[in-house]
């Protein structure tokens, strides 16, 4: 092979090796990550610094300002721009509902002290709180807790058409929220039963239903039937059953027990 050919071959080989090395380096080189900073408009929103319990009296150490995307700020949120002194203004308020750490504070979740007691603070507008006596056998063995939903049943004696006394059961109200058991208005952490010495249950009813509840307390024995969590409708209020002040009879079932007639009104 002639010398010029050898020189050309050597140059070609060298160029091929260099090209191979360059291509290999480009293929094996890790991709360059680029960080793009996008600025999102935000507002400082007042949130709970720690968990706040139902009925707890607040102070400014329980609140903090947190940056919140402006597009998600609803009209109910308290912003630093609109209320820079909100922490001081809300200090001493009472929590109408439990608040979790980081949850935005809204005016309807707190009520200022002096505008009523704790129970009045957690009552929705238009509703009334009324208590009824309970005992272990009429309150599901003391397993009913605040914020449970129950049906209220009245058991009373009535004189039948034959002149004999009969036991009658009426469903007074359904889906009733329990506000308190005794003086306990909130479930205690880790406790699965109500206070064993509690002998009253405070219920959330409408004004008319509270009137009927007071009447029923004097007419007979009240029993509370616990509703399943699968049947709960927290957005629905208590439903009406039988009016105990009415003498109208509905379809009834008569049962003979130990020679004494008893009757349960139909409520459908």
């Amino acid at each position: 092979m002639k010398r010029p050919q050898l020189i050309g071959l050597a140059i070609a080989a060298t160029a091929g090796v260099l090209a191979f090395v360059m291509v290999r380096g480009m293929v094996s080189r890790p991709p360059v990550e680029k960080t793009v900073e996008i600025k999102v408009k935000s507002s400082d929103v007042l949130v709970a610094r720690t968990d706040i319990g139902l009925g707890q009296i607040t102070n400014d150490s329980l609140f903090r300002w947190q940056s919140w995307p402006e597009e998600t700020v609803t009209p109910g949120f308290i912003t630093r721009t609109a209320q820079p002194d909100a922490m001081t203004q809300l200090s001493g308020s009472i929590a109408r509902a439990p608040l979790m750490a980081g949850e935005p504070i809204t005016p309807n979740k707190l009520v200022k002290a002096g505008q009523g007691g704790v129970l009045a603070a957690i009552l929705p507008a238009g509703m009334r709180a009324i208590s009824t006596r309970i005992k272990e056998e009429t309150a599901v063995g003391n397993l009913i807790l605040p914020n449970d939903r129950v049906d209220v049943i009245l058991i009373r004696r009535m004189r039948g058409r034959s002149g004999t006394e009969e036991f009658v059961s009426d469903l007074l109200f359904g889906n009733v929220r329990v506000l308190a058991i005794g003086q306990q208005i909130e479930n205690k952490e880790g406790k699965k039963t109500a206070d064993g010495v509690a002998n009253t249950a405070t219920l959330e009813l409408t004004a008319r239903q509270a009137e009927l509840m007071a009447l029923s307390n004097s007419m007979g024995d009240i029993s509370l039937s616990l509703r399943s969590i699968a049947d709960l409708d927290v957005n629905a209020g208590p439903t009406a059953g039988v009016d105990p002040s009415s003498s109208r009879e509905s379809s009834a079932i008569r049962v003979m027990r130990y020679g004494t007639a008893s009757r349960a009104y139909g409520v459908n």
Side-chain angles (χ1 to χ4, degrees):
M1 185 176 294
K2 295 181 180 181
R3 184 175 180 181
Q5 292 177 334
L6 291 174
I7 294 174
L9 184 60
I11 293 173
T14 303
V17 171
L18 290 174
F20 172 77
V21 172
M22 291 176 63
V23 171
R24 183 178 180 183
M26 293 176 62
V27 172
S28 61
R29 182 182 303 169
V32 178
E33 295 183 0
K34 293 184 178 180
T35 303
V36 179
E37 183 176 348
I38 301 176
K39 292 185 178 180
V40 178
K41 288 185 177 181
S42 62
S43 296
D44 287 341
V45 171
L46 190 67
V47 301
R49 185 185 297 274
T50 61
D51 290 347
I52 301 175
L54 172 69
Q56 182 175 343
I57 299 176
T58 63
N59 55 60
D60 52 6
S61 66
L62 296 178
F63 306 123
R64 66 182 175 87
W65 295 108
Q66 179 172 308
S67 181
W68 208 269
E70 201 168 82
E71 60 183 13
T72 63
V73 176
T74 67
F77 287 7
I78 298 173
T79 63
R80 193 199 293 263
T81 303
Q83 295 179 252
D85 299 327
M87 289 188 185
T88 304
Q89 294 171 357
L90 294 176
S91 180
S93 298
I94 299 171
R96 298 185 63 182
L99 297 167
M100 296 185 296
E103 182 177 346
I105 304 296
T106 57
N108 62 347
K109 294 178 181 178
L110 300 174
V111 62
K112 289 293 291 183
Q115 295 178 343
V118 175
L119 192 57
I122 65 177
L123 264 177
M127 303 303 288
R128 305 292 187 268
I130 186 168
S131 296
T132 185
R133 285 191 170 275
I134 58 171
K135 47 189 176 180
E136 188 170 347
E137 59 267 29
T138 62
V140 197
N142 289 333
L143 294 175
I144 297 175
L145 294 171
N147 287 315
D148 278 340
R149 298 276 175 152
V150 298
D151 293 339
V152 182
I153 301 170
L154 169 64
I155 301 176
R156 53 179 167 156
R157 288 177 179 267
M158 291 187 65
R159 189 172 297 278
R161 295 177 181 176
S162 62
T164 60
E165 284 193 337
E166 301 173 347
F167 287 99
V168 177
S169 66
D170 293 324
L171 175 64
L172 297 179
F173 320 110
N175 194 43
V176 178
R177 177 189 175 200
V178 179
L179 293 172
I181 296 294
Q183 294 186 337
Q184 179 185 344
I185 63 173
E186 186 177 20
N187 296 341
K188 296 180 181 179
E189 187 175 355
K191 194 169 183 179
K192 300 179 180 179
T193 60
D195 190 347
V197 299
N199 58 8
T200 59
T202 303
L203 309 177
E204 179 186 284
L205 298 169
T206 64
R208 174 58 180 164
Q209 290 170 341
E211 181 183 347
L212 295 177
M213 186 77 247
L215 174 64
S216 301
N217 280 333
S218 65
M219 294 177 65
D221 295 327
I222 299 294
S223 293
L224 302 181
S225 175
L226 183 64
R227 294 176 70 94
S228 166
I229 194 171
D231 298 330
L232 294 186
D233 186 356
V234 295
N235 297 318
T239 58
V242 174
D243 185 343
S245 63
S246 173
S247 60
R248 180 181 59 84
E249 293 188 5
S250 61
S251 59
I253 300 174
R254 293 177 178 272
V255 180
M256 297 296 296
R257 292 182 178 176
Y258 307 105
T260 302
S262 64
R263 176 178 59 193
Y265 279 117
V267 294
N268 293 332

